[in-house]
Amino acid sequence: MTQDEVFADVKAILTESLSVDDDQVTPQARLQADLDAESIDFLDIVFRLERKFGLKIDRNELFPESIFQGDPKFVQDGVVTPGGLAELKEKMPYADLSAFEQNPKFEQIGDLFTVDLIARYVKSKVDAK
Amino acid sequence: MRWIWIDRFTAFEPGKSATAVKCLSAAEDHFAEHFPGFPVMPAALILEGLAQTGGILVGEVNQFREKVVLAKIPFAKFHRDATAGEVLTYRADVLDLKPEGAIVKGTVTCGADPVCDAEIFFAHLDQNRGRQMFGDFNFVFSGELANLLGMAKLVASPSPDPPQLPPATP
């Protein structure tokens, strides 16, 4: 599958799961801030991606809980620590962290989850199959 | 008030599908208010019946040990109203079942008429968090739902020797 094909399928899944118009699902759209995704939606999205692409996505893989739950090893005073950034890089090699690293505020971590990130993650999983 | 929106199961294939029926009676309170002079079953209650059918189907897979909660209805489409005197048939098919939850495809029909199509997402309430909040008591599958569960089990595994009524005495 090409990146464009993966993106088209991911877009269709997000449109259905989040009940949004397809022109809202741009590569840069953030799942939470722009598309109003809630925690239960992430589980729904993972289920749909697995079904559509025939993947197995471990519970902690796409949305790593250790960071999101504010583990003090990784998050201190509302800022993601160097250890946390290293963890993010290891757990999310498909994410572009360059902008986030400049100002790694915990409250902005959700902004990393864009439509493009999901599509790149799925492409990496599909290629590894 | 009893919060049971299905009357009985007519088919039950564990882990796969379940069919239940609901007879609508003019005595049900909701018809008086929804709407006066024009009694139609509220769409949310139709979905509740479908969710009870699907929720029991999903819960049975783990022998009702999981707390199965309705997390999300990603899609629901209603085709026509349902009113007193009609019999609704709820059909639930498991699309996906995992340790974290399940997705069920549901259809509601009245005779040959489609009434509603929907997809329902059930989550298994996190074991640890669920225990902190509610203890070991399974608040989802408790009380009166137990009767329905018993029926679901009966339909799922018909006894080779069904109980016989005693002969009628004059």
Side-chain angles (χ1 to χ4, degrees):
Chain A
M1 283 182 99
T2 66
Q3 184 70 44
D4 285 349
E5 287 167 339
V6 170
F7 183 84
D9 285 346
V10 166
K11 181 171 175 166
I13 284 174
L14 294 176
T15 306
E16 273 180 28
S17 174
L18 302 174
S19 299
V20 288
D21 293 335
D22 61 353
D23 59 359
Q24 288 177 268
V25 189
T26 60
Q28 292 76 33
R30 296 161 298 173
L31 265 58
Q32 285 176 302
D34 298 323
L35 304 178
D36 291 333
E38 295 176 15
S39 59
I40 204 71
D41 294 319
F42 290 115
L43 198 54
D44 182 29
I45 290 166
V46 167
F47 272 43
R48 285 169 191 267
L49 293 174
E50 288 187 327
R51 230 180 330 150
K52 177 75 191 174
F53 295 97
L55 301 174
K56 176 81 193 85
I57 300 174
D58 287 336
R59 199 174 160 191
N60 244 325
E61 198 175 318
L62 181 53
F63 306 109
E65 278 183 12
S66 55
I67 301 278
F68 280 106
Q69 288 177 349
D71 185 328
K73 256 195 311 188
F74 301 135
V75 183
Q76 277 169 16
D77 301 326
V79 175
V80 178
T81 63
L85 285 171
E87 174 85 359
L88 277 177
K89 279 183 190 161
E90 191 198 321
K91 291 272 173 67
M92 301 169 60
Y94 41 85
D96 178 7
L97 295 173
S98 52
F100 181 74
E101 275 181 305
Q102 305 302 316
N103 187 16
K105 281 195 182 148
F106 178 59
E107 62 187 26
Q108 269 152 21
I109 210 163
D111 292 350
L112 289 174
F113 290 89
T114 59
V115 177
D116 188 47
L117 176 138
I118 305 290
R120 275 188 280 135
Y121 168 79
V122 170
K123 177 77 164 68
S124 73
K125 291 285 280 188
V126 168
D127 289 347
K129 268 212 296 186
Chain B
M1 186 179 184
R2 287 165 175 76
W3 196 251
I4 292 181
W5 291 96
I6 51 182
D7 292 336
R8 67 186 168 97
F9 282 93
T10 54
F12 198 98
E13 196 176 351
K16 289 191 177 158
S17 67
T19 307
V21 292
K22 161 73 182 150
C23 302
L24 306 186
S25 160
E28 289 167 24
D29 286 343
H30 59 87
F31 282 125
E33 304 284 333
H34 190 281
F35 299 94
F38 185 65
V40 293
M41 185 165 185
L45 290 181
I46 295 178
L47 282 179
E48 176 65 26
L50 193 55
Q52 291 186 357
T53 307
I56 289 172
L57 175 65
V58 171
E60 192 272 344
V61 173
N62 295 301
Q63 285 74 53
F64 305 107
R65 283 192 295 267
E66 295 281 0
K67 297 178 179 77
V68 178
V69 293
L70 195 168
K72 175 176 169 179
I73 297 178
F75 162 83
K77 183 163 186 165
F78 293 87
H79 303 285
R80 79 152 169 84
D81 292 331
T83 190
E86 295 191 304
V87 178
L88 298 182
T89 300
Y90 293 114
R91 159 99 190 194
D93 289 274
V94 172
L95 288 183
D96 213 343
L97 181 72
K98 298 190 185 354
E100 296 87 359
I103 298 182
V104 166
K105 174 180 177 292
T107 56
V108 185
T109 51
C110 180
D113 291 352
V115 173
C116 169
D117 296 307
E119 214 173 272
I120 303 182
F121 187 88
F122 294 98
H124 289 151
L125 198 61
D126 178 82
Q127 292 278 350
N128 294 325
R129 195 181 300 173
R131 198 159 286 148
Q132 279 167 15
M133 287 164 68
F134 306 107
D136 286 330
F137 175 64
N138 191 330
F139 65 95
V140 180
F141 297 114
S142 67
E144 287 153 352
L145 264 184
N147 284 332
L148 278 174
L149 300 180
M151 271 197 281
K153 280 181 190 157
L154 272 183
V155 178
S157 53
S159 155
D161 300 310
Q164 300 292 318
L165 287 172
T169 49

